[in-house]
mmCIF file of all heavy atoms in Angstrom:
data_model
loop_
_atom_site.group_PDB
_atom_site.id
_atom_site.type_symbol
_atom_site.label_atom_id
_atom_site.label_comp_id
_atom_site.label_asym_id
_atom_site.label_seq_id
_atom_site.Cartn_x
_atom_site.Cartn_y
_atom_site.Cartn_z
ATOM 1 N N ARG A 1 0.826 -1.204 0.000
ATOM 2 C CA ARG A 1 0.000 0.001 0.000
ATOM 3 C C ARG A 1 0.865 1.262 0.000
ATOM 4 O O ARG A 1 0.562 2.247 -0.687
ATOM 5 C CB ARG A 1 -0.934 0.006 1.214
ATOM 6 C CG ARG A 1 -1.951 -1.113 1.249
ATOM 7 C CD ARG A 1 -2.798 -1.182 -0.001
ATOM 8 N NE ARG A 1 -3.515 0.064 -0.217
ATOM 9 C CZ ARG A 1 -4.170 0.381 -1.324
ATOM 10 N NH1 ARG A 1 -4.145 -0.464 -2.344
ATOM 11 N NH2 ARG A 1 -4.816 1.525 -1.439
ATOM 12 N N ALA A 2 1.937 1.246 0.788
ATOM 13 C CA ALA A 2 2.838 2.407 0.824
ATOM 14 C C ALA A 2 3.531 2.592 -0.525
ATOM 15 O O ALA A 2 3.716 3.727 -0.988
ATOM 16 C CB ALA A 2 3.877 2.230 1.934
ATOM 17 N N LEU A 3 3.906 1.489 -1.179
ATOM 18 C CA LEU A 3 4.537 1.581 -2.494
ATOM 19 C C LEU A 3 3.552 2.124 -3.527
ATOM 20 O O LEU A 3 3.934 2.921 -4.399
ATOM 21 C CB LEU A 3 5.059 0.206 -2.928
ATOM 22 C CG LEU A 3 5.788 0.149 -4.267
ATOM 23 C CD1 LEU A 3 7.013 1.056 -4.270
ATOM 24 C CD2 LEU A 3 6.187 -1.287 -4.604
ATOM 25 N N ASN A 4 2.291 1.704 -3.431
ATOM 26 C CA ASN A 4 1.265 2.239 -4.334
ATOM 27 C C ASN A 4 1.118 3.751 -4.158
ATOM 28 O O ASN A 4 0.992 4.496 -5.137
ATOM 29 C CB ASN A 4 -0.081 1.558 -4.075
ATOM 30 C CG ASN A 4 -0.126 0.152 -4.630
ATOM 31 O OD1 ASN A 4 0.657 -0.221 -5.490
ATOM 32 N ND2 ASN A 4 -1.052 -0.646 -4.124
ATOM 33 N N PHE A 5 1.140 4.208 -2.904
ATOM 34 C CA PHE A 5 1.060 5.644 -2.637
ATOM 35 C C PHE A 5 2.274 6.357 -3.226
ATOM 36 O O PHE A 5 2.144 7.424 -3.847
ATOM 37 C CB PHE A 5 0.994 5.892 -1.129
ATOM 38 C CG PHE A 5 1.145 7.335 -0.738
ATOM 39 C CD1 PHE A 5 0.063 8.203 -0.786
ATOM 40 C CD2 PHE A 5 2.383 7.840 -0.332
ATOM 41 C CE1 PHE A 5 0.207 9.540 -0.446
ATOM 42 C CE2 PHE A 5 2.533 9.170 0.008
ATOM 43 C CZ PHE A 5 1.435 10.025 -0.048
ATOM 44 N N PHE A 6 3.445 5.771 -3.040
ATOM 45 C CA PHE A 6 4.684 6.370 -3.559
ATOM 46 C C PHE A 6 4.646 6.470 -5.077
ATOM 47 O O PHE A 6 4.987 7.518 -5.648
ATOM 48 C CB PHE A 6 5.884 5.541 -3.104
ATOM 49 C CG PHE A 6 7.191 5.977 -3.692
ATOM 50 C CD1 PHE A 6 7.882 7.053 -3.164
ATOM 51 C CD2 PHE A 6 7.737 5.310 -4.790
ATOM 52 C CE1 PHE A 6 9.090 7.467 -3.709
ATOM 53 C CE2 PHE A 6 8.933 5.711 -5.336
ATOM 54 C CZ PHE A 6 9.614 6.796 -4.800
ATOM 55 N N GLU A 7 4.230 5.398 -5.746
ATOM 56 C CA GLU A 7 4.197 5.404 -7.211
ATOM 57 C C GLU A 7 3.154 6.390 -7.730
ATOM 58 O O GLU A 7 3.369 7.069 -8.733
ATOM 59 C CB GLU A 7 3.891 4.000 -7.740
ATOM 60 C CG GLU A 7 4.935 2.954 -7.395
ATOM 61 C CD GLU A 7 6.245 3.154 -8.115
ATOM 62 O OE1 GLU A 7 6.321 4.032 -8.997
ATOM 63 O OE2 GLU A 7 7.215 2.445 -7.786
ATOM 64 N N GLY A 8 2.016 6.486 -7.038
ATOM 65 C CA GLY A 8 0.967 7.379 -7.478
ATOM 66 C C GLY A 8 1.287 8.849 -7.283
ATOM 67 O O GLY A 8 0.715 9.712 -7.971
ATOM 68 N N ASN A 9 2.178 9.152 -6.323
ATOM 69 C CA ASN A 9 2.530 10.547 -6.025
ATOM 70 C C ASN A 9 4.005 10.823 -6.285
ATOM 71 O O ASN A 9 4.587 11.725 -5.682
ATOM 72 C CB ASN A 9 2.190 10.867 -4.561
ATOM 73 C CG ASN A 9 0.715 10.735 -4.270
ATOM 74 O OD1 ASN A 9 -0.069 11.644 -4.479
ATOM 75 N ND2 ASN A 9 0.314 9.563 -3.772
ATOM 76 N N ASN A 10 4.591 10.013 -7.168
ATOM 77 C CA ASN A 10 6.023 10.090 -7.439
ATOM 78 C C ASN A 10 6.454 11.484 -7.893
ATOM 79 O O ASN A 10 7.412 12.065 -7.349
ATOM 80 C CB ASN A 10 6.380 9.044 -8.507
ATOM 81 C CG ASN A 10 7.861 8.832 -8.639
ATOM 82 O OD1 ASN A 10 8.576 9.745 -9.012
ATOM 83 N ND2 ASN A 10 8.309 7.624 -8.325
ATOM 84 N N LYS A 11 5.762 12.046 -8.862
ATOM 85 C CA LYS A 11 6.142 13.350 -9.396
ATOM 86 C C LYS A 11 6.020 14.447 -8.337
ATOM 87 O O LYS A 11 6.876 15.336 -8.249
ATOM 88 C CB LYS A 11 5.275 13.689 -10.609
ATOM 89 C CG LYS A 11 5.553 12.798 -11.811
ATOM 90 C CD LYS A 11 4.710 13.209 -13.011
ATOM 91 C CE LYS A 11 4.999 12.312 -14.215
ATOM 92 N NZ LYS A 11 4.156 12.683 -15.380
ATOM 93 N N TYR A 12 4.959 14.374 -7.545
ATOM 94 C CA TYR A 12 4.768 15.371 -6.490
ATOM 95 C C TYR A 12 5.888 15.292 -5.450
ATOM 96 O O TYR A 12 6.469 16.316 -5.061
ATOM 97 C CB TYR A 12 3.410 15.171 -5.821
ATOM 98 C CG TYR A 12 3.181 16.065 -4.618
ATOM 99 C CD1 TYR A 12 2.785 17.390 -4.780
ATOM 100 C CD2 TYR A 12 3.371 15.580 -3.324
ATOM 101 C CE1 TYR A 12 2.585 18.214 -3.682
ATOM 102 C CE2 TYR A 12 3.170 16.392 -2.222
ATOM 103 C CZ TYR A 12 2.774 17.717 -2.413
ATOM 104 O OH TYR A 12 2.592 18.521 -1.320
ATOM 105 N N LEU A 13 6.210 14.082 -4.999
ATOM 106 C CA LEU A 13 7.236 13.905 -3.965
ATOM 107 C C LEU A 13 8.613 14.327 -4.472
ATOM 108 O O LEU A 13 9.391 14.948 -3.737
ATOM 109 C CB LEU A 13 7.266 12.438 -3.514
ATOM 110 C CG LEU A 13 6.014 11.927 -2.782
ATOM 111 C CD1 LEU A 13 6.103 10.429 -2.560
ATOM 112 C CD2 LEU A 13 5.836 12.643 -1.454
ATOM 113 N N PHE A 14 8.932 14.008 -5.726
ATOM 114 C CA PHE A 14 10.242 14.324 -6.273
ATOM 115 C C PHE A 14 10.403 15.811 -6.602
ATOM 116 O O PHE A 14 11.529 16.273 -6.808
ATOM 117 C CB PHE A 14 10.506 13.490 -7.526
ATOM 118 C CG PHE A 14 10.934 12.082 -7.244
ATOM 119 C CD1 PHE A 14 10.751 11.522 -5.987
ATOM 120 C CD2 PHE A 14 11.523 11.302 -8.225
ATOM 121 C CE1 PHE A 14 11.138 10.223 -5.720
ATOM 122 C CE2 PHE A 14 11.923 10.000 -7.966
ATOM 123 C CZ PHE A 14 11.720 9.463 -6.710
ATOM 124 N N SER A 15 9.295 16.549 -6.648
ATOM 125 C CA SER A 15 9.374 17.979 -6.962
ATOM 126 C C SER A 15 9.436 18.864 -5.719
ATOM 127 O O SER A 15 9.564 20.080 -5.830
ATOM 128 C CB SER A 15 8.159 18.395 -7.808
ATOM 129 O OG SER A 15 6.957 18.258 -7.049
ATOM 130 N N ARG A 16 9.352 18.256 -4.526
ATOM 131 C CA ARG A 16 9.387 19.055 -3.290
ATOM 132 C C ARG A 16 10.762 19.680 -3.089
ATOM 133 O O ARG A 16 11.792 19.082 -3.397
ATOM 134 C CB ARG A 16 9.044 18.196 -2.077
ATOM 135 C CG ARG A 16 7.622 17.617 -2.061
ATOM 136 C CD ARG A 16 6.549 18.676 -2.166
ATOM 137 N NE ARG A 16 6.205 18.969 -3.553
ATOM 138 C CZ ARG A 16 5.483 20.003 -3.920
ATOM 139 N NH1 ARG A 16 5.059 20.878 -3.024
ATOM 140 N NH2 ARG A 16 5.209 20.189 -5.198
ATOM 141 N N SER A 17 10.775 20.878 -2.515
ATOM 142 C CA SER A 17 12.023 21.607 -2.312
ATOM 143 C C SER A 17 12.793 21.076 -1.108
ATOM 144 O O SER A 17 12.265 20.293 -0.304
ATOM 145 C CB SER A 17 11.727 23.100 -2.096
ATOM 146 O OG SER A 17 11.005 23.284 -0.885
ATOM 147 N N ARG A 18 14.028 21.537 -0.985
ATOM 148 C CA ARG A 18 14.875 21.119 0.133
ATOM 149 C C ARG A 18 14.299 21.574 1.477
ATOM 150 O O ARG A 18 14.267 20.791 2.444
ATOM 151 C CB ARG A 18 16.277 21.687 -0.051
ATOM 152 C CG ARG A 18 17.271 21.253 1.016
ATOM 153 C CD ARG A 18 18.638 21.831 0.719
ATOM 154 N NE ARG A 18 19.075 21.421 -0.617
ATOM 155 C CZ ARG A 18 20.097 21.990 -1.261
ATOM 156 N NH1 ARG A 18 20.747 22.995 -0.712
ATOM 157 N NH2 ARG A 18 20.443 21.562 -2.455
ATOM 158 N N ILE A 19 13.816 22.798 1.536
ATOM 159 C CA ILE A 19 13.239 23.317 2.786
ATOM 160 C C ILE A 19 12.026 22.496 3.197
ATOM 161 O O ILE A 19 11.831 22.191 4.383
ATOM 162 C CB ILE A 19 12.846 24.804 2.622
ATOM 163 C CG1 ILE A 19 14.092 25.649 2.352
ATOM 164 C CG2 ILE A 19 12.128 25.319 3.871
ATOM 165 C CD1 ILE A 19 15.117 25.633 3.461
ATOM 166 N N TYR A 20 11.203 22.145 2.226
ATOM 167 C CA TYR A 20 10.015 21.337 2.501
ATOM 168 C C TYR A 20 10.427 19.983 3.098
ATOM 169 O O TYR A 20 9.846 19.527 4.087
ATOM 170 C CB TYR A 20 9.229 21.124 1.206
ATOM 171 C CG TYR A 20 7.953 20.332 1.375
ATOM 172 C CD1 TYR A 20 6.759 20.965 1.667
ATOM 173 C CD2 TYR A 20 7.961 18.945 1.223
ATOM 174 C CE1 TYR A 20 5.583 20.236 1.808
ATOM 175 C CE2 TYR A 20 6.797 18.210 1.361
ATOM 176 C CZ TYR A 20 5.615 18.858 1.649
ATOM 177 O OH TYR A 20 4.459 18.118 1.803
ATOM 178 N N GLY A 21 11.425 19.333 2.497
ATOM 179 C CA GLY A 21 11.875 18.031 2.983
ATOM 180 C C GLY A 21 12.450 18.106 4.380
ATOM 181 O O GLY A 21 12.154 17.262 5.242
ATOM 182 N N ILE A 22 13.277 19.126 4.644
ATOM 183 C CA ILE A 22 13.861 19.283 5.977
ATOM 184 C C ILE A 22 12.766 19.544 7.014
ATOM 185 O O ILE A 22 12.825 19.032 8.144
ATOM 186 C CB ILE A 22 14.904 20.421 5.969
ATOM 187 C CG1 ILE A 22 16.104 20.038 5.091
ATOM 188 C CG2 ILE A 22 15.368 20.750 7.381
ATOM 189 C CD1 ILE A 22 17.111 21.143 4.894
ATOM 190 N N SER A 23 11.754 20.310 6.631
ATOM 191 C CA SER A 23 10.633 20.597 7.543
ATOM 192 C C SER A 23 9.892 19.313 7.908
ATOM 193 O O SER A 23 9.501 19.126 9.073
ATOM 194 C CB SER A 23 9.668 21.595 6.908
ATOM 195 O OG SER A 23 10.323 22.812 6.610
ATOM 196 N N ILE A 24 9.698 18.434 6.922
ATOM 197 C CA ILE A 24 9.018 17.154 7.189
ATOM 198 C C ILE A 24 9.831 16.302 8.159
ATOM 199 O O ILE A 24 9.283 15.696 9.089
ATOM 200 C CB ILE A 24 8.789 16.386 5.865
ATOM 201 C CG1 ILE A 24 7.754 17.109 5.002
ATOM 202 C CG2 ILE A 24 8.328 14.963 6.141
ATOM 203 C CD1 ILE A 24 6.371 17.179 5.597
#
């Protein structure tokens, strides 16, 4: 299920900025 979520939101996750990732 987690892999399905990752594949479905791949473009969104890979486009996040560095500040966004550090905040998470």
Side-chain angles (χ1 to χ4, degrees):
R1 296 305 301 169
L3 182 60
N4 285 341
F5 170 82
F6 174 81
E7 297 291 353
N9 298 275
N10 193 296
K11 292 182 180 179
Y12 174 80
L13 294 173
F14 281 16
S15 65
R16 296 303 89 193
S17 66
R18 183 178 303 166
I19 297 298
Y20 182 89
I22 294 174
S23 300
I24 291 296

